[in-house]
Amino acid sequence: MSPGKHTKARLLHERYIIGTDRKAAVKIERVLVSRFSKVTMNTLQEHWSDFQHDRIYLSTIALKHMFDSRAAQEYDMILEHLEILIEKPDALYENLEDKRGKLLIMKTINIVTFEGEKVEEWLVCSLDTKNEELDMVTAFRFTEERKKKNYLKKYKLLWSWEGDGPPS
């Protein structure tokens, strides 16, 4: 996806979030961002046989939370890559009991810095089952593999591309 492309998340941001004060109330809206692929759904159903939620929604509340709490570069990365994260995740994790959300999804994003250096960053998104649908709770990135591994080691890995191939 090219920088500045008008993804569904970016359009929601431009319509309801841009220009708002920190912690300001926003109009409550919700959009379908994307859907899990059939292979991702099959993998999730191997772990939770009753899992039927393939549509992922983003609310202005979740988007405003990220807008207020993330650095501008991180927030922009989330807006730009959210759809590909959902459609083609690199790993699926079961969320911790004390965290909001049932599922964490992770995607490696290859970034080219302003200096032309190629680096890897990791985008993580938490999803919550609500009203028989999946809502995005939050998203964040890791810029260091060590921090990503340290954070994710306490989560149960459900599936990963590493050594496993695509979900079957």
Side-chain angles (χ1 to χ4, degrees):
M1 211 168 282
S2 61
K5 182 171 183 199
H6 282 76
T7 63
K8 293 174 185 175
R10 190 173 301 280
L11 291 171
L12 194 66
H13 164 80
E14 289 173 359
R15 185 158 186 198
Y16 298 104
I17 308 300
I18 198 166
T20 60
D21 292 332
R22 184 171 171 75
K23 305 287 183 185
V26 293
K27 181 177 181 184
I28 299 175
E29 293 290 333
R30 206 168 151 253
V31 297
L32 173 65
V33 176
S34 194
R35 297 174 75 162
F36 281 140
S37 68
K38 288 181 183 182
V39 290
T40 300
M41 284 298 296
N42 290 340
T43 299
L44 292 170
Q45 289 170 342
E46 288 175 13
H47 296 280
W48 299 300
S49 59
D50 62 340
F51 194 90
Q52 299 297 321
H53 317 290
D54 69 333
R55 296 170 189 244
I56 292 83
Y57 293 85
L58 175 62
S59 73
T60 50
I61 302 295
L63 198 57
K64 178 66 172 152
H65 161 72
M66 290 181 284
F67 179 73
D68 288 345
S69 59
R70 307 282 182 258
Q73 187 179 16
E74 179 177 6
Y75 181 75
D76 193 57
M77 179 194 186
I78 292 166
L79 293 179
E80 185 174 335
H81 295 96
L82 188 58
E83 290 172 32
I84 194 72
L85 165 68
I86 293 165
E87 293 164 4
K88 297 180 181 180
D90 291 334
L92 307 170
Y93 295 86
E94 184 173 352
N95 210 348
L96 300 175
E97 289 288 326
D98 63 337
K99 300 278 188 178
R100 183 168 168 226
K102 179 176 189 138
L103 180 65
L104 283 181
I105 56 176
M106 195 260 315
K107 177 81 177 164
T108 304
I109 307 293
N110 295 305
I111 303 290
V112 178
T113 66
F114 290 114
E115 296 81 24
E117 180 184 3
K118 294 179 182 178
V119 296
E120 283 187 338
E121 296 186 349
W122 298 269
L123 188 57
V124 177
C125 177
S126 175
L127 301 172
D128 191 19
T129 312
K130 183 179 180 180
N131 302 325
E132 300 301 315
E133 298 171 329
L134 277 174
D135 281 295
M136 188 175 138
V137 175
T138 192
F140 49 93
R141 75 170 176 181
F142 290 101
T143 57
E144 297 177 31
E145 186 167 15
R146 175 186 55 81
K147 289 182 179 180
K148 174 200 66 143
K149 284 183 177 181
N150 190 45
Y151 181 85
L152 293 173
K153 71 182 178 185
K154 55 192 167 206
Y155 292 84
K156 179 183 176 186
L157 178 65
L158 302 175
W159 172 85
S160 168
W161 271 103
E162 285 186 25
D164 197 17
S168 54

